[in-house]
Amino acid sequence: MTGPHDFWLACGHHLLDRNTDGFLPATDEFLKAYLARPELTPPPEACDAEQQLHQALLSDPRQPVTPAEVAMIEDADARENWGLLVAWRDQLIRHGTLEAAYLDIVRHSRTFPHIFINQLVQVILRNVLDGCGDVFVLRAAEMFFRPQRLTLQEGSLVAADEEAIAGAGDRPMSPLISLLGLPSGAEIAVLSEANAATYWERSDVFDLALDLTAGRRGLTALGEVIRLFVAHLLAVQVEVEPVTELRDVALTWYVGLDAGATRIGDALWKGDAIDEATRSRLIGLYRLSFVDAADMAETVRGKPVYLMTAMTADRMLRLKPQNLLTGLPIRQREVVN
């Protein structure tokens, strides 16, 4: 499953195939990949119960695992890791496709490790964006599953990958690193037409920042990711248009795409005044419209829907794509089986 250029190789999309509906069944190869994680690979001194469970699942990753089998593992940390892995595996198997498993998680607020959920979002987006040749859209999609740190650079609002910044090695300092207040070893380049072609070879490194300044390509690209994500998971066609000014916007229906944006939206909906410091944290505002009005809940049909993103006081952005799936006024939601 690859497009004209491959990307996000580490997410495991090459272990998956699409079904006739375009969704991703949980293959044995994909399930076995979890068994290669360091925390699930038994060390030489691991007890017999852990060694046997690991070998059994390598042979048949779908075979039932009882709580008693996990309880027999001697090491407490290993027991916890295996309990989480078995519950996660069962979630993926039970719902048939990765998309259906994800929808069940967000609709029923099921609790799983964030790393598992973010990886699931990534591989679903890899499916959604297969064949996409616009690297600005691909970079914007990274924000759905990777936290971002933001800064102002020469009047532009720039988002850089938090983990890439924290893990950068000994490299020359760039101006952006200085503005972010980062160690001199880190180096992050801002995605541009000049370096866009390098995205394909560095997509798993996440070392390209994205300009999110109002009116520029980054926010438009994020709107396109939103449109494609909703279409794939909810089978609803929408149009998503960036709005550059919050003033005089009537929030009859809104969805905050992160916790901060939700709080801002709640305050505005109640008519509360927000100060300029809070208003300045709002970095993205979109007007969403339904291509087919019949897809919209009757009670709000014909009224505008707004989407908002906001950074925290310490300039972090942690998008919650699940809010799109649970917060839009959609007439019918049971789509992915």
Side-chain angles (χ1 to χ4, degrees):
M1 187 181 74
T2 61
H5 298 280
D6 209 351
F7 60 99
W8 303 348
L9 301 179
C11 74
H13 70 92
H14 57 287
L15 303 174
L16 296 159
D17 292 306
R18 296 187 188 89
N19 64 17
T20 55
D21 295 318
F23 303 132
L24 302 173
T27 62
D28 286 0
E29 292 77 12
F30 187 78
L31 296 174
K32 286 181 182 180
Y34 287 100
L35 301 173
R37 294 183 63 86
E39 61 269 29
L40 291 170
T41 301
E45 67 273 15
C47 68
D48 289 344
E50 184 178 0
Q51 298 276 11
Q52 291 169 8
L53 178 58
H54 189 259
Q55 287 301 316
L57 290 178
L58 280 175
S59 175
D60 177 9
R62 298 175 187 272
Q63 70 173 278
V65 178
T66 66
E69 290 178 90
V70 176
M72 291 175 62
I73 297 173
E74 294 176 1
D75 183 81
D77 289 338
R79 278 199 308 275
E80 181 180 11
N81 290 336
W82 278 104
L84 291 171
L85 184 277
V86 170
W88 180 252
R89 181 208 65 166
D90 291 347
Q91 173 74 14
L92 300 185
I93 293 173
R94 184 182 307 118
H95 295 280
T97 69
L98 303 189
E99 288 89 345
Y102 178 61
L103 281 171
D104 177 77
I105 291 169
V106 302
R107 288 172 174 169
H108 298 95
S109 301
R110 304 198 190 281
T111 302
F112 289 102
H114 289 302
I115 188 171
F116 282 180
I117 294 176
N118 286 340
Q119 289 172 342
L120 185 59
V121 170
Q122 181 181 10
V123 78
I124 290 171
L125 278 169
R126 179 60 184 78
N127 183 31
V128 172
L129 297 169
D130 193 47
C132 176
D134 187 339
V135 298
F136 287 85
V137 171
L138 302 182
R139 175 57 182 88
E142 294 174 13
M143 296 194 291
F144 272 40
F145 55 89
R146 295 183 68 89
Q148 307 290 308
R149 189 185 298 186
L150 289 90
T151 192
L152 285 172
Q153 181 185 20
E154 298 178 355
S156 298
L157 184 65
V158 175
D161 186 276
E162 179 190 28
E163 186 177 335
I165 290 169
D170 246 348
R171 288 175 288 186
M173 180 182 290
S174 71
L176 179 56
I177 293 306
S178 178
L179 285 165
L180 287 164
L182 305 174
S184 60
E187 184 175 9
I188 303 292
V190 180
L191 181 63
S192 67
E193 290 294 345
N195 62 18
T198 69
Y199 180 86
W200 309 106
E201 64 192 48
R202 62 203 291 183
S203 68
D204 282 298
V205 183
F206 304 107
D207 64 347
L208 284 168
L210 185 64
D211 187 344
L212 294 178
T213 308
R216 295 186 186 167
R217 194 166 177 177
L219 285 179
T220 300
L222 180 58
E224 176 65 2
V225 177
I226 292 169
R227 183 187 72 80
L228 294 170
F229 192 70
V230 170
H232 183 70
L233 285 164
L234 300 178
V236 172
Q237 301 299 319
V238 297
E239 295 178 350
V240 182
E241 174 192 5
V243 179
T244 57
E245 181 56 63
L246 176 62
R247 302 181 196 280
D248 301 322
V249 168
L251 294 181
T252 53
W253 193 283
Y254 59 93
V255 178
L257 299 184
D258 54 81
T262 298
R263 287 192 293 270
I264 292 173
D266 290 347
L268 292 171
W269 186 77
K270 291 186 294 186
D272 296 343
I274 59 172
D275 57 32
E276 282 303 316
T278 301
R279 186 181 295 271
S280 68
R281 294 176 193 165
L282 190 67
I283 62 173
L285 178 65
Y286 297 91
R287 183 185 297 107
L288 179 146
S289 58
F290 288 77
V291 173
D292 185 349
D295 288 328
M296 196 173 186
E298 291 185 13
T299 53
V300 292
R301 192 167 295 169
K303 297 179 181 178
V305 175
Y306 289 97
L307 312 174
M308 294 181 288
T309 63
M311 61 182 172
T312 62
D314 59 350
R315 294 183 177 271
M316 291 299 303
L317 176 62
R318 299 178 177 88
L319 292 186
K320 300 173 71 175
Q322 63 267 32
N323 290 3
L324 284 168
L325 308 178
T326 59
L328 292 178
I330 295 173
R331 182 177 60 85
Q332 183 178 1
R333 293 181 176 177
E334 296 300 329
V335 175
V336 175
N337 297 309

